Amino acid sequence: MSNSRHRLRNASAFDAVFKNNRYRVSSEAFLFLAVENDHDCSRLGMVIGKKNVKLATRRNRVKRALRQAFDQRFGLNLPSIDLVVVARAGVKANDKTLMNQQVSSLFEKLELKLIQETSNA
């Protein structure tokens, strides 16, 4: 499901999320910033720097886990959002189970915020 139309591609799209983020959840490993968009689908952007995740194989593992969790969570029942995930120094990319738990937990928190916001509106 994760194709190019489900990804943030250019700097202006990332900047819009950084400047106008409405939803924010974080842990020691990740920061999730999101804003509702006008598209028919949710889009994901990732900032996984070499400074925080040294090896390319581990950066790719983090990206793969994020994409997979995003594809599973964001379907038709939630509003369309642009989401930027920033990896922090606390990422344990070599511990796949722990990383997947952290990602799942943050996606659940974000989903709850989105549901609460849409039910209040």
Side-chain angles (χ1 to χ4, degrees):
M1 178 174 146
S2 186
N3 60 29
S4 63
R5 60 177 242 150
H6 295 284
R7 297 202 188 145
L8 295 177
R9 288 283 179 193
N10 55 30
S12 62
F14 277 86
D15 286 343
V17 176
F18 282 121
K19 289 178 184 169
N20 305 318
N21 65 75
R22 194 165 167 202
Y23 307 99
R24 183 183 185 110
V25 292
S26 65
S27 70
E28 70 176 51
F30 297 102
L31 169 64
F32 284 26
L33 302 171
V35 65
E36 292 176 352
N37 70 26
D38 296 332
H39 300 280
D40 61 344
C41 63
S42 293
R43 302 184 303 171
L44 173 67
M46 295 175 273
V47 181
I48 317 294
K50 280 186 190 181
K51 183 176 181 180
N52 296 327
V53 184
K54 304 269 185 258
L55 298 176
T57 54
R58 293 199 177 143
R59 284 194 302 277
N60 291 336
R61 182 180 294 161
V62 170
K63 290 176 191 177
R64 202 168 26 255
L66 288 168
R67 268 190 234 111
Q68 184 178 20
F70 181 79
D71 287 346
Q72 289 172 353
R73 291 256 179 216
F74 287 90
L76 303 172
N77 59 341
L78 293 173
S80 295
I81 62 167
D82 286 345
L83 171 66
V84 172
V85 179
V86 180
R88 292 180 166 169
V91 174
K92 304 283 188 252
N94 54 344
D95 188 349
K96 197 173 178 181
T97 307
L98 177 64
M99 182 183 60
N100 285 334
Q101 287 172 349
Q102 289 175 336
V103 167
S104 266
S105 170
L106 287 172
F107 272 113
E108 284 175 22
K109 287 179 185 176
L110 180 61
E111 193 172 349
L112 285 173
K113 281 189 173 190
L114 285 166
I115 290 169
Q116 287 174 352
E117 187 74 24
T118 54
S119 66
N120 291 340

